[in-house]
Amino acid sequence: MKVKLGKYVYIQTGKLDANAAVENGEYPFFTCSAIPLAIDSYRYDCECVLIAGNGDLNVKYYKGKFNAYQRTYIIESATPALYVPYLYRFFCKYITTLRNHAIGGVIKYIKLEHLSDVLIEIPSISIQKEICKKFQQLDKIIEARERQLCLLDQLIKSQFIVLTSGRDVSKVKLSSVVERDICKIKTKFKPEDEIEYIDISSIDNVKHIISQTSTFLTKDAPSRAQQLVLNNDVLVSTVRPNLRNIAMNQKTSLNRVASSGFCVLRPKTIVPSFLFAIAMSDDFTNYLVRNTTGANYPAVSSKIILEYEIPLLPRHDQELFAQYCKQVDKSKFTIEQSLKKLETLKRSLMNKYFG
């Protein structure tokens, strides 16, 4: 039998602005980003499920001391009958429904009742723990594969550093190597055309790929769907705390459109993989962080992004780097195929236990 979640949990929200984050802070700072930031003080010390209340809706589990952004929901169990890791697994499945229920214009958000009114089945505590054990075993294998991918990504970063360090390389502004005549969708599509929409939640900011898109007719698309995205375009999120939402579009379809919350970098006189490596560099990320402005929704403008100075290697060296990336990508592909099978198995478990 399913019951309303609100009777079994305590729900509160964080109190801080996203600007409260600091580098190398002692405690996790949970915001709407999938990856926690850091902070020097904590307000909460508990075992809980955290739900991003706006922007990149996502779910996390944490036990310990932390702090939270004002639009992050903190959900604790109010009864020994509800195992918090089980609640986390439930919301990993239910997050898709929450995204569909999100309301608002520029930035979608969820309300408290979207959580408290959720219907959930609560079996015995022993069954909840057994279910969680199955997911934990599967997660360990997935995490091992993901660590392998991270190591391969580190190889690419290391090669990029080797190529660009210790050389007398001239620097140019990013604006000089990318195309700035980005087509607006109103001049490209008819109202009845179908488009694929890329927003913040479309970007996997761990794997840095476009993991999902939403499909709309142009006339029904969100008002922020403004920029045509072509193959090899690099998408850089301009809104903090999602500045690590960076990905290269590697799909040749001509109906992909990005939110105005991205700066779309279209290679003009630069090798695409080299441009992507620049966007993934720590120096570029730090530049974005330093140049964000605004209180409630801090962001960096595309104009500022295009002022960033990049090391302009000779075309030959850029192409050698691209070949190196291609070889590493072959190894990554094998691991990614294994991950897909594991994720399929995980989804089947989600469907089995949470409908």
Side-chain angles (χ1 to χ4, degrees):
M1 181 181 72
K2 291 186 176 182
V3 296
K4 279 193 175 182
L5 181 63
K7 296 180 180 180
Y8 294 83
V9 296
Y10 301 118
I11 305 177
Q12 58 183 318
T13 60
K15 307 299 180 186
L16 300 177
D17 287 338
N19 282 334
V22 298
E23 289 188 28
N24 303 315
E26 183 177 355
Y27 305 102
F29 179 40
F30 293 102
T31 65
C32 293
S33 173
I35 299 177
L37 303 178
I39 198 166
D40 282 334
S41 61
Y42 74 92
R43 185 185 180 95
Y44 313 95
D45 185 1
C46 60
E47 181 180 26
C48 62
V49 174
L50 299 116
I51 306 285
N54 64 10
D56 179 22
L57 299 185
N58 58 71
V59 57
K60 310 177 189 74
Y61 166 86
Y62 190 73
K63 183 178 181 180
K65 297 173 181 177
F66 66 93
N67 223 320
Y69 170 57
Q70 60 191 350
R71 288 296 298 168
T72 298
Y73 289 98
I74 303 161
I75 310 175
E76 299 175 70
S77 175
T79 170
L82 179 60
Y83 188 47
V84 176
Y86 174 82
L87 182 62
Y88 166 69
R89 298 297 175 178
F90 167 81
F91 271 113
C92 285
K93 168 71 174 175
Y94 193 74
I95 195 69
T96 301
T97 303
L98 284 177
R99 288 171 181 149
N100 292 335
H101 287 170
I103 57 178
V106 176
I107 296 183
K108 297 289 186 181
Y109 64 93
I110 56 173
K111 299 170 71 173
L112 177 62
E113 53 263 36
H114 288 141
L115 301 173
S116 60
D117 290 348
V118 169
L119 294 177
I120 180 174
E121 186 172 336
I122 303 179
S124 69
I125 200 73
S126 61
I127 292 177
Q128 292 179 53
K129 289 183 177 180
E130 184 61 32
I131 290 171
C132 290
K133 184 178 179 180
K134 292 179 181 180
F135 282 107
Q136 289 165 0
Q137 291 170 340
L138 188 56
D139 280 346
K140 284 183 180 179
I141 301 172
I142 291 173
E143 287 167 6
R145 298 288 185 275
E146 289 179 339
R147 282 196 297 272
Q148 290 176 315
L149 287 178
C150 286
L151 289 173
L152 290 172
D153 284 336
Q154 286 300 321
L155 282 178
I156 291 177
K157 284 188 175 182
S158 298
Q159 183 68 9
F160 177 78
I161 292 171
V162 168
L163 279 172
T164 57
S165 300
R167 297 176 59 177
D168 185 17
V169 179
S170 61
K171 289 196 170 185
V172 298
K173 289 183 179 180
L174 193 54
S175 59
S176 69
V177 297
V178 298
E179 179 62 59
R180 291 311 304 150
D181 185 21
I182 304 298
C183 179
K184 303 299 182 181
I185 68 167
K186 290 181 180 178
T187 64
K188 175 68 178 178
F189 300 106
K190 297 177 182 178
E192 64 275 12
D193 287 342
E194 192 175 80
I195 63 170
E196 284 186 78
Y197 177 51
I198 302 169
D199 64 4
I200 290 297
S201 63
S202 302
I203 307 297
D204 183 325
N205 61 5
V206 176
K207 299 177 183 177
H208 296 285
I209 59 173
I210 299 171
S211 59
Q212 59 184 355
T213 58
S214 303
T215 303
F216 298 94
L217 296 181
T218 305
K219 63 183 179 65
D220 299 324
S223 59
R224 288 168 62 83
Q226 295 180 7
Q227 304 175 94
L228 180 66
V229 178
L230 302 181
N231 189 39
N232 290 329
D233 282 356
V234 176
L235 280 68
V236 177
S237 171
T238 60
V239 181
R240 190 175 179 180
N242 300 310
L243 295 177
R244 291 298 294 166
N245 286 42
I246 298 170
M248 181 189 291
N249 179 46
Q250 294 185 302
K251 188 174 181 180
T252 56
S253 61
L254 298 178
N255 67 333
R256 281 196 156 182
V257 174
S259 160
S260 56
F262 289 104
C263 177
V264 178
L265 304 177
R266 182 163 299 157
K268 182 174 65 174
T269 59
I270 189 171
V271 173
S273 58
F274 190 71
L275 174 62
F276 183 56
I278 288 170
M280 290 293 297
S281 68
D282 292 338
D283 186 73
F284 182 71
T285 300
N286 293 335
Y287 175 82
L288 298 184
V289 172
R290 288 196 307 271
N291 286 280
T292 55
T293 57
N296 292 330
Y297 300 106
V300 56
S301 70
S302 292
K303 181 179 179 180
I304 293 295
I305 290 175
L306 293 172
E307 291 289 313
Y308 179 73
E309 291 190 338
I310 69 168
L312 188 61
L313 293 182
R315 183 82 181 188
H316 174 70
D317 288 349
Q318 292 182 40
E319 290 172 348
L320 285 177
F321 177 75
Q323 287 298 317
Y324 181 84
C325 293
K326 189 174 181 179
Q327 292 302 315
V328 174
D329 284 344
K330 289 180 180 179
S331 298
K332 289 176 64 176
F333 178 79
T334 301
I335 298 171
E336 285 165 354
Q337 292 303 108
S338 173
L339 271 171
K340 284 181 180 179
K341 292 178 180 178
L342 292 167
E343 293 291 354
T344 298
L345 177 56
K346 189 173 180 178
R347 283 193 297 272
S348 69
L349 286 178
M350 286 286 186
N351 292 331
K352 177 180 178 180
Y353 294 116
F354 303 115

